């Protein structure tokens, strides 16, 4: 026994899913359809979707926002966890991927809770701030182009209410963060973001080694 985060063998990962995953059929079908497209690795893992849904429930979140819709797995996970009257704003630029997302949101009966904003996410986020929505979101998830993480984070921090929570995905970047030979823009941006948020007094945080690494940061009141 050790108190360090355990390494998950394939068998242990399967066991984790066997004894904890409660993936609704509509999410399972979305995951299977997404697995067939070349960018499939951009989809979050099902246990991460369930974890984020649990966070939304624990917080009693009503207003959520997401940067990076892709085919809609995370948005659907979150939207299904929102109470009646809850809403999720989700930003993406890709019409093909978000067309898949829209189909499954409708299948799941939550299309009316999800407000998809097609276009550059920074413009959408700045527009929400300009529209007086600063401080109005309970929960946020950032999972889009890595070089823009810091700019997304700053906008999201403005849009979160005090006590609101943001999840930032891929912060371990498949281990590239500790590989000195990896000096591409995305990897450098993730390293810089991780170092910045570690020292950011505006938030409380935890880096959770689920999926590809998920940093959770709560905006301090
Ligand atoms: Ca991701």
């Amino acid at each position: 026994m050790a108190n360090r985060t355990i390494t998950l063998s394939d068998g242990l990962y399967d066991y984790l899913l066997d004894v904890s995953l409660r993936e609704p059929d509509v999410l399972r079908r979305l995951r299977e359809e997404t697995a067939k497209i070349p960018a499939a690795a951009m989809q979050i893992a099902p246990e991460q979707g369930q974890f984020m849904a649990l966070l939304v429930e624990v917080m009693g979140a009503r207003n959520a926002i997401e940067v990076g819709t892709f085919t809609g797995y995370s948005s659907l996970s979150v939207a299904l966890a929102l109470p009646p009257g809850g809403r999720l704003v989700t930003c993406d630029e890709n019409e093909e991927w978000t067309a898949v997302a829209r189909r499954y949101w409708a299948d799941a009966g939550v299309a009316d809770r999800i407000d998809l904003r097609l276009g550059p996410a920074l413009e959408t986020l700045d527009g929400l701030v300009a529209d007086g929505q600063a401080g109005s979101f309970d929960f946020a998830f950032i999972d889009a182009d890595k070089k823009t993480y810091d700019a997304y984070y700053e906008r999201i921090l403005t849009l979160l209410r005090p006590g609101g929570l943001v999840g930032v995905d891929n912060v371990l970047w498949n281990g590239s963060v500790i590989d000195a030979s990896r000096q591409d823009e995305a990897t450098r941006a993730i390293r810089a973001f991780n170092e910045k948020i570690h020292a950011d007094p505006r938030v409380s945080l935890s880096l959770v080694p689920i999926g590809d690494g998920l940093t959770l940061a709560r905006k301090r009141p």
Side-chain angles (χ1 to χ4, degrees):
M1 199 169 87
N3 64 5
R4 212 181 87 167
T5 301
I6 196 167
T7 300
L8 288 180
S9 63
D10 289 351
L12 195 54
Y13 179 62
D14 288 344
Y15 177 81
L16 179 155
L17 297 181
D18 279 349
V19 298
S20 70
L21 191 65
R22 295 177 174 176
E23 188 178 41
D25 185 62
V26 63
L27 279 172
R28 182 186 55 75
R29 285 187 285 111
L30 169 55
R31 186 157 58 85
E32 289 172 357
E33 178 169 343
T34 304
K36 295 173 189 156
I37 68 173
M42 285 170 54
Q43 183 167 58
I44 63 165
E47 70 277 15
Q48 183 176 339
Q50 184 169 314
F51 178 57
M52 287 167 41
L54 180 68
L55 294 174
V56 166
E57 284 184 26
V58 166
M59 295 183 73
R62 301 187 63 82
N63 289 316
I65 185 163
E66 174 181 70
V67 183
T69 313
F70 189 41
T71 59
Y73 192 96
S74 48
S75 37
L76 184 50
S77 300
V78 167
L80 286 168
L82 292 171
R87 67 157 184 155
L88 167 69
V89 175
T90 182
C91 312
D92 208 291
E93 291 190 77
N94 188 299
E95 296 202 27
E96 192 182 335
W97 292 339
T98 53
V100 176
R102 283 185 197 276
R103 223 173 345 107
Y104 283 91
W105 298 339
D107 266 14
V110 294
D112 59 338
R113 296 182 189 177
I114 303 178
D115 177 2
L116 172 63
R117 305 289 182 94
L118 273 176
L122 281 183
E123 288 177 21
T124 300
L125 300 177
D126 285 339
L128 291 169
V129 173
D131 189 39
Q133 297 194 43
S136 70
F137 289 87
D138 306 299
F139 179 83
F141 181 50
I142 299 174
D143 187 12
D145 61 296
K146 310 311 171 197
K147 69 179 188 312
T148 319
Y149 260 26
D150 185 49
Y152 295 143
Y153 172 70
E154 287 299 327
R155 268 68 167 190
I156 288 294
L157 214 52
T158 300
L159 288 164
L160 281 179
R161 66 166 168 83
L165 187 75
V166 56
V168 184
D169 201 34
N170 299 105
V171 294
L172 295 179
W173 207 220
N174 200 29
S176 296
V177 283
I178 58 161
D179 179 351
S181 72
R182 284 288 302 270
Q183 294 298 335
D184 56 282
E185 192 176 21
T187 303
R188 283 190 286 114
I190 290 174
R191 284 188 198 119
F193 174 78
N194 287 339
E195 285 161 24
K196 167 180 165 163
I197 199 168
H198 186 202
D200 189 343
R202 299 171 296 175
V203 295
S204 308
L205 86 161
S206 177
L207 195 170
V208 184
I210 189 171
D212 192 26
L214 175 70
T215 287
L216 295 175
R218 177 178 185 259
K219 181 176 175 177
R220 286 177 167 158

